[in-house]
Amino acid sequence: MSDSTAAPIVTLRRQPPPQWQPDEARDSCNGCGVKFSFFNRRHHCRRDGQLYCGDCSRDEVTLVRQANSEPQRVCKACATIARKEEKLVREVAPSLVSGQLCYVHAPSKSEATPAILSLSSDCERVTWRSTQLVQNQAAHFQSMELSGLLEIRPATADDPIRRPFTGLDACLVLRTSASTLQVEATDRAACEQWLSGIRLAKEVLLSPSGSSGHGEGSATATTSMDEAARAAEERLREAERNEAEFLRRQQERREREQERREQTRTNIREKYGLNK
């Protein structure tokens, strides 16, 4: 296979190894709030370094932003983010990084300009370069940071797109506070691929980093945290009740065994007259 057909290398910005939360820093899980104990052990998430119980850190995923090739144990929130990062790097981004032919519609121009639309190899910006020879180099190559995108949507009849070649359903709009990019893809499928790809790349870019942690949880996680904590506390109480019942039965069994041994010794003494 020649180099021209090789898939582009997609590399997200690396994250430093997380600083592990000391064991003594928390007596309860950062995820569900259940108390740690001898039976409910502490586990560190390998992505954010926070402490979690076993139920909240069962997932093992590949961390594409860290120098780890083997799946690592992470919390539920980090597992969701890490899977999206891996999907972006392995499945979604390569074809977008390679670049695709499109038409850029500018309100000041009566016709669309053919260009190559691509995603940067770190998935942090969209770039487009005109396929026409122009004197102004700035007009030839432009970019838009994904972190500044305010809108990522399909185009509508209200957008100033004149005479699209492939139809309005193949057009998308990217808007920041400073500019608006109206792009016509080669077909509807390509348009949907760009919309979903850019949305995923922005979500990954703005997701909490591993080093910053998210032990207190997002607003969505917080709403269900009380229910999860109550359920976890109930499971823990049930385990403690079972343990107490087991210990009680063990003690009763030892006492009965002791009574039987004492009775046996008494019977032997009486039989052989050893009590006299």
Side-chain angles (χ1 to χ4, degrees):
M1 182 179 291
S2 63
D3 292 340
S4 60
T5 59
I9 298 177
V10 180
T11 305
L12 301 181
R13 183 180 299 181
R14 292 293 183 185
Q15 292 176 344
Q19 182 176 359
W20 280 26
Q21 189 176 31
D23 287 355
E24 63 273 11
R26 285 193 65 92
D27 62 355
S28 61
C29 174
N30 277 289
C32 66
V34 66
K35 295 288 186 180
F36 293 126
S37 66
F38 179 80
F39 298 97
N40 188 42
R41 309 298 293 272
R42 292 171 170 84
H43 299 278
H44 281 96
C45 170
R46 269 55 173 181
R47 186 176 182 275
D48 70 13
Q50 303 297 294
L51 289 166
Y52 298 91
C53 67
D55 287 340
C56 289
S57 59
R58 292 186 182 278
D59 295 286
E60 292 189 358
V61 297
T62 301
L63 302 178
V64 297
R65 290 194 178 216
Q66 297 181 12
N68 293 314
S69 58
E70 298 296 327
Q72 302 293 313
R73 183 168 189 160
V74 296
C75 66
K76 294 178 180 179
C78 282
T80 299
I81 298 172
R83 290 191 181 101
K84 291 179 179 179
E85 291 173 343
E86 186 174 16
K87 179 180 179 181
L88 177 65
V89 170
R90 312 288 188 211
E91 304 175 19
V92 177
S95 62
L96 304 184
V97 172
S98 297
Q100 297 179 11
L101 178 65
C102 69
Y103 296 93
V104 176
H105 291 263
S108 59
K109 296 183 179 180
S110 58
E111 294 185 356
T113 302
I116 299 297
L117 184 69
S118 61
L119 184 67
S120 63
S121 59
D122 60 3
C123 300
E124 294 189 7
R125 65 191 61 83
V126 174
T127 64
W128 63 99
R129 64 181 186 275
S130 173
T131 59
Q132 299 175 340
L133 295 176
V134 294
Q135 294 181 348
N136 187 352
Q137 184 65 21
H140 177 72
F141 183 87
Q142 300 181 57
S143 65
M144 182 176 286
E145 298 290 333
L146 296 191
S147 59
L149 285 177
L150 302 177
E151 274 190 311
I152 309 170
R153 61 174 176 82
T156 67
D158 296 330
D159 294 308
I161 298 178
R162 300 183 180 89
R163 299 193 296 276
F165 295 96
T166 55
L168 192 62
D169 59 356
C171 300
L172 62 137
V173 175
L174 307 177
R175 185 177 67 84
T176 67
S177 59
S179 61
T180 299
L181 177 64
Q182 297 157 343
V183 178
E184 180 182 351
T186 53
D187 53 37
R188 181 176 181 179
C191 177
E192 292 176 350
Q193 181 184 21
W194 274 103
L195 284 171
S196 59
I198 293 175
R199 285 168 177 159
L200 178 60
K202 181 184 177 183
E203 181 181 359
V204 166
L205 178 63
L206 299 182
S207 64
S209 65
S211 58
S212 64
H214 42 253
E216 298 305 320
S218 62
T220 303
T222 303
T223 58
S224 59
M225 186 172 178
D226 290 342
E227 294 182 3
R230 285 194 294 270
E233 288 284 1
E234 180 58 32
R235 291 196 300 270
L236 182 59
R237 285 194 293 269
E238 180 67 21
E240 292 174 344
R241 287 194 294 268
N242 292 339
E243 181 187 7
E245 179 65 17
F246 173 78
L247 294 176
R248 184 185 65 80
R249 291 179 179 179
Q250 285 287 89
Q251 181 63 27
E252 290 179 350
R253 188 177 298 111
R254 285 193 294 268
E255 292 174 354
R256 288 194 299 269
E257 184 65 25
Q258 181 66 24
E259 290 177 358
R260 283 195 295 269
R261 286 197 294 267
E262 291 293 336
Q263 186 62 44
T264 300
R265 284 195 292 267
T266 300
N267 293 339
I268 291 175
R269 290 189 185 98
E270 291 177 352
K271 180 177 181 180
Y272 294 99
L274 299 178
N275 293 331
K276 297 180 180 179

